[in-house]
Amino acid sequence: MRTQIGYLVGGGLKENFRVRLTVSPQEVQEGAFVVIESGNWLYYGIATDICLGATDPRFADEQSADRFPPQIAQALHGQTLYADLEVLPILMLEIGPEPGTAEYRAWRERLSEEPRPLPIKHIPPHHAPVRLAAEGDVFEIFGKPNETNFVIGYTREQKHPVCLNLDRFVQRSSGVFGATGTGKSFLTRLLLAGLIDRNQVSVLVLDMHNEYGYDDIASDTKQNVKGLKSLFPGRVRVVGLGSGATIRGQPPDFNLEIAWSDLQPSDILMLSRELDLTDTAATVLDALVKSFSLHEWFDRFTALRYEGYIDEQDEKTGKTRRVPHPESVEAWASENGVHPAAAKALHSKLQRLRNKPYLVEQPAADSVSQIIKALESGQHMILSFGKHETDLDYLLVSNLLTRKIRHAWEKKTNEFRSSGPNAPEPRPLLIVVEEAHKLLNRELASQTAFATIARELRKYYVTLLIVDQRPSQIDDEVMSQLGTRISSWLGDEDDIQAVLSGLAGRQALRGMLARLQPKEEALIMGWGVPIPLPIRSRRYDDAFWRELLGSSNKRSSSHIMKELGY
Amino acid sequence: MINIGAIWMHPQSGQAPSTEAESQLIYGDDLLEEHTLISESALSLKRDLRERTKLAELAERLQKPLIALTDGPIELWGAKGEDARAYAEFVREHLHVLARLQEQEVILAGYVEKPFANLMIRLLELTMAPQPLRREDLLASPLRGVSDRWLFGEPGQPLLRAGERSAVFGLQSASSKNYRGVFSLHFFYLNVGFDQHPWPVRVEVPRWVAEDSRKLDLLHRALVEQCRMMGSRPYPYLLHRAHETARVSAEEKRQIEAWLALELRRHDGEIDDLSHKQSAKQLAGRSRNRSER
Amino acid sequence: MSQPIPIGRLLRAGTTAFVAGCRVNQGALPSFGALLRIPLEESYQVYGLIYDIHIDDDGLVRQLVTAESVAEEIVRDNRERRIVPVEMSVLTVGYEQNGRLYHLLPPRPPLSLDMVYLCTPEEIVRFTERLGYVRLLLQASQIPIGEVIAAHFLQVQAAHPDPQWQERAIHEIITLLRDDYPRLMAVLSALSEAIR
């Protein structure tokens, strides 16, 4: 049963509802999920502000408790001083007359479909009772926990389970945000565990700090934290970067090596800052592709000598001249109309890449294709960067891999769309991008595959899950394309604004975000979340793992076989 | 209606005085005497007699010594001429009452404030007039216009100092001959006021009191005490209270009339209306001023 | 049947208030804040609350205070024996018709000479069960409202101690005077004394 906390006294759709509290203001929190009942309708909203008031300011100014005996002081307090709740109304649901009555039957007959929660269009009258949502209300709005509805957390007041509809969640790109140390990676692990368990999409995690694959130790509790591979040994593969790489002392399932022939000028240009390229680089790269071809330019160019001279005799005069070695950069530059200094500059910077252990002339296996195939068949990949933790490594590999994957998915989608009605849909893919601001900032926004994916809105069955602590650094357009956002505490005003960009009721949510507890609390909002709600996040711990695996074990053997790729 | 009030107290007892009021409604045939309506003066006599009788009744209940005060001379006044027989009857009854008082040794006194009979001056005139006494000589006396009160109470240097009494004199008048023997009337003057503001009054006493110096002293002292209680306007406190107890206020009179009217109407009687003059006088004058305080 | 105040009569009356006079010795004075009733007809009576008691200036007392001293007997005579004219200003707080109580101004005011009765504890409890009359009380101007209410409170509590009634009455007062802060504070201050 719902606990009554007050009644409606004013406000509206534009400026939010005002509720007169009939309980102590200490019993209601900001962000409380409330239900307003009126006639045949229920209205759902969240409390966005709590403030004190008085029927006359003098009652508030003077302490009647001192002047009057307790009986009078209490009566005065109760009648002249009050607390109001500001409620952001969001949804309404038609529940009809009292069940069991004739009116109820008549109403049901008139319905063309089962009533669903709708965006609020009309408002309840004055004095409508306002109550805290009961568990049933939370289930009505957020869904009852089942295979599709994943419990992401609990309401703060009464600890009702709050679900995220995973199928909806993956229909758009999404984001997990929060300042450092607020539990972003836990939230992400939670989500990924749910998604992998649900197994409707394949997940590719770009694990910059090697956190997700194998077990870890929590920095504060020093407890063991299960990795995704421990939880789902049959479905999850850990990929290491470069042959011989180990992840946390363990060998990965296989290693990723990238052929030089895969490198494209756009990949290089994306690394302008890391490689400290000048403006001339673009022109040089253009010329390189023209002269060497798209697949050979890197190999051929970086193989050239930086400097070198030979003596050449002029056939006519017989005099010897010093000329650049034919295999030198200078020689090539003059041959192709490129400024030699520019070419030399690029050449020396590209050596860094050539020396990378994971960039090879001939990879041992086509690991990129392996990854793609595995994802297509329903496996989940965690690309751990091992010891290659620089921004350069992260940017290059992430972008290149994603570019190829997206290309593969684009191809599959086009095939699917042109083939008959019985063709299988491409397996949806979710790419988890850590430190997203490195890849999705304004500068790079136009250049990376990620930005493209974000803008494409799942056109080709690929979406992103951005994990980041500096959302203000992420390109605005990308942020506004995000559907679901889950955010822990953020301290920076700009970051808060960024997370809320494109959402209704921003002002109210702003305060809530800033006032979250530093750990274990988050605000869920955006597309796919019916009502923005602050929650106590579910713990990624023993209890969770047992529950998850327990439910997993209940599945049929045929199901399991299917998961293993058979 | 005849209303009398009586009040008595024990000095230095610390106890509140006691009061009694008596009302007598005379109506119907009792209002007729010899087929004529009883006169105002006859009613007054009735009342006075009733008062004295009340004193006697009370005296018989109360402890002695007892001082009994009436307002005015002891002798009953009025209505002498109208009905000699009725008057004689009054006197007889009065003497009967006096006898009861004397029997109880009550110190009876009549308090005459502002007496108009200037007995002392008359006496002085007699002593000053040449012998033999002639009416013309007396009328031409240089003391004409002088009052006993002035004689005894000249402001600043009164003959009687504050609280002093004069010698006791015998009263000689036409009517006083009815009171003989132990009932014969005497008087003395008493300054109940102050040296700067003397206030001489005449106190009448019957013989049994006049000849008893102890009774006189008690009376003297009691009168001065009683008058002092009234502060700047000396008058015996108890006499004032007795008046109050007896007095029928105008509102009460109206209320009694209204009750009578109600009863008469209930028994189908008829009542004459107020004279229009009277009803005009009774129109609300100061009606709302009190509540606006 | 309650004690009639001796010779209690109406001097002047309106619908909102009336003045009753009585002649009692000072020991038997009705108290400030007391609830009175005046039966007008067989099934109609008006209720009022005393908000002022006025004892007339008295010539005799003025005299007595000029004396050097006042004997004990005189003091007691004045207090216990002398009938003094007392005027009581009474605020109308309701009426009863055919057995039903109405906390409204009466359709007809009391008439001159109507007898005035002090209400018994049972009558007080019955009249004050509902609190509509408080509105009439608070509407009156130029009366010491705080003191009247406090005295009335004490009277009601003496008739029937009931903390719930007190609570309801305080509640009603606050509701009616919520917009008149100075007045409300004055009334509550007076009430504080009564319920302390």
Side-chain angles (χ1 to χ4, degrees):
Chain A
M1 277 285 73
R2 302 181 188 115
T3 331
Q4 173 145 12
I5 52 168
Y7 56 96
L8 200 58
V9 294
L13 293 178
K14 206 159 95 173
E15 57 208 37
N16 297 342
F17 289 157
R18 218 157 31 85
V19 173
R20 182 62 42 91
L21 284 180
T22 52
V23 297
S24 158
Q26 293 169 307
E27 293 182 39
V28 182
Q29 288 192 35
E30 178 187 35
F33 184 20
V34 300
V35 178
I36 305 174
E37 302 168 12
S38 175
N40 293 353
W41 290 85
L42 290 179
Y43 301 83
Y44 301 91
I46 44 167
T48 54
D49 192 16
I50 310 171
C51 54
L52 300 177
T55 55
D56 181 312
R58 286 174 287 191
F59 290 119
D61 290 344
E62 290 172 25
Q63 290 185 292
S64 54
D66 296 343
R67 272 182 78 173
F68 300 120
Q71 227 183 337
I72 291 184
Q74 274 167 27
L76 255 189
H77 189 108
Q79 288 182 255
T80 61
L81 302 176
Y82 54 82
D84 276 350
L85 203 62
E86 195 180 280
V87 171
L88 173 66
I90 298 173
L91 296 175
M92 60 185 196
L93 174 68
E94 191 174 4
I95 52 167
E98 191 74 32
T101 60
E103 293 90 11
Y104 181 75
R105 283 192 289 278
W107 173 72
R108 280 221 77 94
E109 274 165 35
R110 280 199 301 270
L111 289 176
S112 51
E113 53 171 16
E114 192 66 29
R116 294 176 298 114
L118 303 168
I120 190 165
K121 297 253 186 326
H122 50 71
I123 59 176
H126 280 94
H127 303 164
V130 178
R131 303 195 153 97
L132 285 180
E135 194 179 67
D137 296 311
V138 181
F139 289 165
E140 174 76 52
I141 301 297
F142 290 91
K144 234 172 164 164
N146 57 25
E147 283 153 10
T148 324
N149 297 325
F150 177 69
V151 178
I152 182 84
Y154 306 90
T155 61
R156 292 197 292 198
E157 294 76 37
Q158 297 170 309
K159 309 197 182 8
H160 298 313
V162 179
C163 291
L164 206 56
N165 184 319
L166 292 177
D167 293 347
R168 248 172 111 70
F169 178 74
V170 298
Q171 282 180 9
R172 294 253 197 292
S173 294
S174 49
V176 175
F177 304 102
T180 318
T182 56
K184 276 194 312 304
S185 37
F186 279 96
L187 269 174
T188 313
R189 286 192 188 102
L190 197 67
L191 273 171
L192 291 177
L195 286 165
I196 294 172
D197 189 49
R198 176 94 183 104
N199 219 16
Q200 292 296 313
V201 304
S202 288
V203 171
L204 166 65
V205 182
L206 300 173
D207 191 355
M208 189 175 177
H209 301 298
N210 313 302
E211 289 177 299
Y212 296 94
Y214 298 114
D215 293 356
D216 198 357
I217 307 286
S219 52
D220 46 359
T221 60
K222 310 286 182 245
Q223 298 279 348
N224 184 49
V225 178
K226 279 206 192 298
L228 292 169
K229 182 145 176 82
S230 318
L231 286 177
F232 303 98
R235 305 186 200 177
V236 175
R237 296 259 172 279
V238 178
V239 182
L241 192 59
S243 76
T246 56
I247 310 297
R248 295 190 181 276
Q250 298 193 49
D253 290 307
F254 60 89
N255 296 41
L256 172 66
E257 286 177 323
I258 298 178
W260 292 338
S261 51
D262 285 330
L263 288 169
Q264 292 183 3
S266 56
D267 297 326
I268 309 299
L269 284 173
M270 198 193 61
L271 303 168
S272 293
R273 202 193 307 158
E274 278 67 33
L275 293 174
D276 198 21
L277 300 178
T278 60
D279 304 336
T280 54
T283 335
V284 179
L285 286 166
D286 242 0
L288 284 169
V289 169
K290 274 210 190 75
S291 79
F292 290 123
S293 91
L294 193 57
H295 294 291
E296 290 180 16
W297 71 271
F298 183 80
D299 185 11
R300 299 275 300 278
F301 181 63
T302 51
L304 292 175
R305 288 185 214 194
Y306 183 71
E307 270 183 333
Y309 298 93
I310 51 163
D311 294 322
E312 193 185 70
Q313 274 192 322
D314 188 330
E315 285 166 11
K316 284 198 192 129
T317 57
K319 283 207 184 124
T320 48
R321 297 185 292 191
R322 227 126 200 242
V323 291
H325 196 284
E327 291 293 302
S328 73
V329 179
E330 213 174 321
W332 174 86
S334 41
E335 273 170 38
N336 288 280
V338 172
H339 199 280
K344 284 171 88 168
L346 182 63
H347 182 270
S348 64
K349 285 166 187 171
L350 286 178
Q351 292 308 313
R352 274 178 74 188
L353 290 179
R354 190 174 168 110
N355 294 334
K356 288 281 181 189
Y358 54 84
L359 282 176
V360 295
E361 186 176 357
Q362 199 72 17
D366 187 357
S367 33
V368 175
S369 301
Q370 270 185 302
I371 290 175
I372 290 175
K373 281 209 182 62
L375 289 169
E376 280 175 353
S377 65
Q379 300 256 300
H380 308 277
M381 298 276 130
I382 298 178
L383 175 59
S384 280
F385 283 69
K387 59 181 193 287
H388 304 291
E389 284 185 297
T390 65
D391 287 359
L392 177 66
D393 298 316
Y394 189 59
L395 283 172
L396 175 62
V397 176
S398 300
N399 186 56
L400 193 145
L401 184 61
T402 305
R403 176 164 56 76
K404 286 195 165 293
I405 288 174
R406 191 197 146 279
H407 184 72
W409 253 258
E410 185 179 353
K411 201 159 147 229
K412 284 195 67 174
T413 309
N414 289 333
E415 280 169 16
F416 165 69
R417 293 221 171 97
S418 54
S419 56
N422 296 326
E425 255 185 317
R427 169 95 169 163
L429 174 65
L430 179 74
I431 304 181
V432 183
V433 186
E434 280 246 300
E435 305 264 0
H437 66 275
K438 292 195 205 290
L439 294 163
L440 283 157
N441 56 59
R442 272 165 219 93
E443 288 165 39
L444 297 178
S446 47
Q447 297 168 16
T448 63
F450 299 101
T452 315
I453 291 171
R455 281 194 285 271
E456 278 171 350
L457 292 178
R458 217 199 195 200
K459 190 156 125 186
Y460 300 114
Y461 293 84
V462 183
T463 50
L464 302 176
L465 170 58
I466 294 175
V467 183
D468 202 69
Q469 72 270 24
R470 298 300 334 260
S472 55
Q473 310 260 27
I474 298 178
D475 181 46
D476 293 336
E477 216 198 309
V478 171
M479 286 301 293
S480 62
Q481 301 287 18
L482 293 179
T484 308
R485 300 135 204 239
I486 303 175
S487 181
S488 311
W489 180 83
L490 283 169
D492 188 273
E493 188 61 41
D494 293 330
D495 288 333
I496 293 176
Q497 291 293 357
V499 170
L500 299 175
S501 74
L503 293 184
R506 248 170 299 167
Q507 275 319 303
L509 300 177
R510 226 211 98 265
M512 261 189 267
L513 254 185
R515 282 189 281 273
L516 288 171
Q517 297 248 21
K519 283 194 193 304
E520 298 207 349
E521 279 192 1
L523 186 62
I524 56 172
M525 58 198 139
W527 193 88
V529 178
I531 291 183
L533 192 68
I535 54 167
R536 187 174 178 73
S537 35
R538 190 172 180 187
R539 286 209 181 118
Y540 186 75
D541 60 5
D542 274 329
F544 170 69
W545 302 321
R546 273 198 299 276
E547 215 183 299
L548 191 69
L549 297 178
S551 63
S552 302
N553 289 340
K554 292 198 187 94
R555 261 169 281 178
S556 64
S557 53
S558 57
H559 209 130
I560 295 170
M561 293 302 278
K562 196 158 154 224
E563 282 167 6
L564 290 174
Y566 295 93
Chain B
M1 181 161 119
I2 292 177
N3 218 43
I4 62 169
I7 181 168
W8 61 99
M9 69 180 256
H10 294 284
Q12 276 96 50
S13 69
Q15 306 216 324
S18 310
T19 57
E20 266 180 36
E22 237 183 53
S23 304
Q24 191 186 9
L25 189 68
I26 308 174
Y27 63 94
D29 293 340
D30 292 341
L31 285 172
L32 297 175
E33 286 197 346
E34 307 292 319
H35 310 290
T36 49
L37 209 56
I38 194 166
S39 64
E40 288 277 350
S41 47
L43 272 177
S44 295
L45 272 181
K46 259 183 166 357
R47 184 199 59 223
D48 291 348
L49 184 60
R50 192 66 212 109
E51 280 176 2
R52 313 300 158 93
T53 314
K54 185 73 182 175
L55 277 179
E57 284 166 10
L58 284 173
E60 273 140 31
R61 305 193 331 230
L62 299 173
Q63 76 181 65
K64 314 294 180 301
L66 178 69
I67 297 172
L69 293 175
T70 62
D71 187 34
I74 289 181
E75 110 176 65
L76 288 180
W77 282 98
K80 285 192 257 225
E82 282 155 24
D83 190 336
R85 192 167 60 78
Y87 184 69
E89 186 58 30
F90 270 117
V91 171
R92 201 177 59 73
E93 285 192 45
H94 191 208
L95 287 171
H96 187 57
V97 169
L98 287 176
R100 284 167 73 184
L101 287 167
Q102 187 262 331
E103 212 176 340
Q104 297 282 319
E105 294 210 55
V106 173
I107 308 170
L108 177 68
Y111 187 89
V112 187
E113 205 188 30
K114 288 207 160 179
F116 59 79
N118 297 305
L119 302 166
M120 295 312 302
I121 299 296
R122 299 283 93 74
L123 181 62
L124 286 173
E125 283 174 347
L126 282 174
T127 56
M128 283 163 59
Q131 295 290 340
L133 292 171
R134 278 189 321 153
R135 208 179 134 84
E136 304 82 43
D137 295 329
L138 289 174
L139 286 171
S141 158
L143 295 180
R144 276 286 133 165
V146 180
S147 67
D148 278 4
R149 292 188 68 249
W150 183 89
L151 178 64
F152 285 112
E154 191 179 341
Q157 41 182 25
L159 202 53
L160 288 177
R161 306 296 293 279
E164 282 183 348
R165 76 164 195 264
S166 68
V168 179
F169 299 85
L171 186 60
Q172 307 221 109
S173 72
S175 50
S176 59
K177 67 180 185 306
N178 288 321
Y179 301 86
R180 287 196 291 249
V182 73
F183 307 122
S184 67
L185 303 174
H186 296 69
F187 67 90
F188 60 88
Y189 277 92
L190 173 63
N191 182 4
V192 298
F194 309 93
D195 285 344
Q196 286 310 310
H197 299 284
W199 194 258
V201 300
R202 194 174 84 210
V203 182
E204 284 190 14
V205 289
R207 188 165 181 169
W208 79 81
V209 174
E211 288 178 348
D212 187 336
S213 59
R214 256 197 79 238
K215 288 197 173 73
L216 274 178
D217 286 343
L218 276 175
L219 176 62
H220 178 179
R221 186 170 144 188
L223 281 175
V224 172
E225 249 177 32
Q226 283 284 308
C227 288
R228 283 281 167 273
M229 286 175 188
M230 294 296 278
S232 53
R233 311 260 289 271
Y235 184 82
Y237 178 80
L238 282 182
L239 270 184
H240 176 95
R241 286 285 288 120
H243 278 317
E244 241 187 33
T245 312
R247 191 179 64 222
V248 178
S249 68
E251 292 114 352
E252 281 162 325
K253 185 161 178 284
R254 264 207 298 278
Q255 182 150 36
I256 293 166
E257 283 173 357
W259 279 339
L260 285 173
L262 210 63
E263 274 304 311
L264 282 168
R265 281 205 187 93
R266 223 177 259 163
H267 291 86
D268 297 325
E270 280 177 33
I271 305 149
D272 197 4
D273 283 331
L274 276 178
S275 80
H276 293 177
K277 179 164 123 196
Q278 186 62 30
S279 56
K281 278 192 192 166
Q282 283 179 10
L283 282 176
R286 24 148 243 137
S287 54
R288 294 189 77 86
N289 52 356
R290 283 260 176 94
S291 57
E292 251 66 5
R293 234 192 304 283
Chain C
M1 203 48 195
S2 56
Q3 280 284 60
I5 301 178
I7 325 179
R9 70 206 179 286
L10 242 66
L11 298 174
R12 42 192 180 276
T15 13
T16 56
F18 50 88
V19 179
C22 66
R23 297 177 68 79
V24 285
N25 64 56
Q26 294 184 56
L29 277 182
S31 51
F32 179 72
L35 189 66
L36 309 172
R37 62 183 178 83
I38 302 117
L40 273 60
E41 291 156 26
E42 188 59 47
S43 54
Y44 175 69
Q45 61 182 353
V46 174
Y47 287 82
L49 214 64
I50 299 177
Y51 70 86
D52 188 43
I53 300 180
H54 183 81
I55 297 169
D56 252 334
D57 188 310
D58 187 315
L60 177 60
V61 174
R62 254 197 270 165
Q63 279 296 131
L64 294 174
V65 301
T66 63
E68 262 182 28
S69 61
V70 185
E72 179 72 22
E73 300 86 47
I74 307 307
V75 170
R76 290 188 63 170
D77 184 37
N78 275 279
R79 286 197 189 146
E80 295 165 36
R81 296 284 173 259
R82 284 190 74 209
I83 305 289
V84 286
V86 173
E87 274 193 12
M88 303 175 290
S89 302
V90 186
L91 195 65
T92 317
V93 288
Y95 65 96
E96 185 175 350
Q97 184 143 52
N98 298 325
R100 263 193 76 177
L101 278 172
Y102 297 85
H103 290 154
L104 297 169
L105 290 179
R108 296 182 298 288
L111 304 171
S112 300
L113 301 182
D114 280 333
M115 273 291 250
V116 177
Y117 293 80
L118 212 49
C119 287
T120 62
E122 294 77 33
E123 287 165 344
I124 293 172
V125 169
R126 183 165 164 263
F127 187 81
T128 61
E129 198 186 319
R130 289 180 304 112
L131 294 165
Y133 69 94
V134 177
R135 188 192 79 259
L136 284 172
L137 255 187
L138 294 176
Q139 273 173 13
S141 56
Q142 294 177 345
I143 71 172
I145 187 63
E147 281 64 31
V148 172
I149 290 184
H152 171 65
F153 249 63
L154 287 171
Q155 233 220 351
V156 173
Q157 292 300 89
H160 175 54
D162 178 6
Q164 285 212 350
W165 180 88
Q166 246 186 37
E167 239 181 81
R168 285 195 297 127
I170 292 172
H171 198 273
E172 183 73 13
I173 291 167
I174 294 176
T175 304
L176 291 170
L177 284 183
R178 206 149 45 177
D179 292 328
D180 189 343
Y181 185 80
R183 209 136 177 264
L184 177 61
M185 287 296 122
V187 171
L188 291 180
S189 294
L191 260 185
S192 299
E193 287 303 316
I195 70 174
R196 198 175 290 284

